[in-house]
Amino acid sequence: MLLLALLGFVFGYMPYFLASVFTIRTFQMKDPENQGVTPATLGLSSEDVTFKARDGVSLSGWWVPAPAAKGTVVLVHGLNRSRVEMVKKVPFLNRLGWNALLFDLRRHGESGGTVRSLGYHERNDVLGATDFARSRLAGPVVAWGISFGGAAATLAAAEDPYITGLVCDSSFRSLRDTARHHLALFRKFAWWLRLVPAWPTSDIAVFWMGRRAGFDPDALDILTAASKLGARPTLFVAGSGDERMPPEIAADLAKAAGPSAKTLVITSEGHGHAYRDGTAAYEAAVTALLDSVAPPSSKGELR
């Protein structure tokens, strides 16, 4: 009886619980570095906006215009964060002459939605943001996402050629790959998690993620999406000490994307801190990408 209870816990309750944490439950990670930061506190004018994802979910964000803008950068935050995670990048983009659109992904911040899917449904949020950006300015749109926001941005770019450039920071290869990797990492945090084998528990959890959030887990494949980007300028970023999304993932994604893709590895510990820890190198790489999308002399056509 005890053995049956243990098997039920390990292969029944735990995968279902983990799937629920990532798809149904919501909480916001503490972000003391960005707490209280808005475009206004950075000296920039902005507009509160709402728009629809391609599948109809209502999204909320900030539109930050640049004078005589060349195009728009859509900024996509990470899991359990909000648009605020990306706000410190906006003054840099504004100086380069690019509008910025920051928004809360579904089931985050002030946006609608009932489930999260680690990038699959969220690609529709990025596509909706692209549509909104193009309604404001008939210029190029570049997507810049971090962590699962980078995954969503890559999936969206693979689907929509109007996304003319991509910055993907600290993404994963696929849902199945990252589920196995993260479950192995989580086993370090508590003794009882060591009772949970990475396989087949991770695959069971992935099954429940798909069921709970209504998507095919195998469609959440960022490597395949990267292979569809063609010749568009693309930058894959990683932190050298990121255990969750190590640099070899960025290298694999760049290889899949082809010769137009570049990789940037910043000396940085933890997950998603590359911009903070290597601002100068990061901004130089993004500047080069934006200049290749819209040369410094070109301007968008205001609508």
Side-chain angles (χ1 to χ4, degrees), residues 122-146:
E122 290 80 5
R123 83 191 193 285
N124 285 311
D125 302 350
V126 181
L127 293 169
T130 300
D131 295 338
F132 179 83
R134 287 179 56 78
S135 76
R136 290 296 183 95
L137 181 78
V141 177
V142 172
W144 183 352
I146 185 168

Side-chain angles (χ1 to χ4, degrees), residues 157-276:
E159 190 171 323
D160 190 342
Y162 282 117
I163 298 176
T164 51
L166 171 69
V167 180
C168 177
D169 183 340
S170 306
S171 177
F172 50 88
R173 297 182 186 91
S174 70
L175 179 57
R176 291 193 185 278
D177 178 72
T178 201
R180 294 187 190 106
H181 178 65
H182 277 76
L183 187 54
L185 288 178
F186 293 159
R187 293 174 70 196
K188 302 176 183 179
F189 299 148
W191 68 266
W192 57 271
L193 283 172
R194 295 174 196 143
L195 300 174
V196 182
W199 185 88
T201 312
S202 63
D203 283 345
I204 300 171
V206 164
F207 166 80
W208 282 116
M209 287 180 197
R211 289 294 295 272
R212 301 225 70 185
F215 70 100
D216 176 4
D218 290 320
L220 194 40
D221 185 339
I222 314 307
L223 277 172
T224 297
S227 72
K228 298 177 180 178
L229 297 175
R232 281 174 283 177
T234 306
L235 176 66
F236 293 100
V237 182
S240 61
D242 187 350
E243 282 191 306
R244 292 180 55 196
M245 310 292 182
E248 52 264 33
I249 295 178
D252 289 346
L253 291 170
K255 182 178 179 181
S260 296
K262 298 185 183 302
T263 304
L264 175 67
V265 178
I266 297 291
T267 301
S268 177
E269 298 299 320
H271 177 61
H273 297 155
Y275 185 80
R276 180 197 68 186

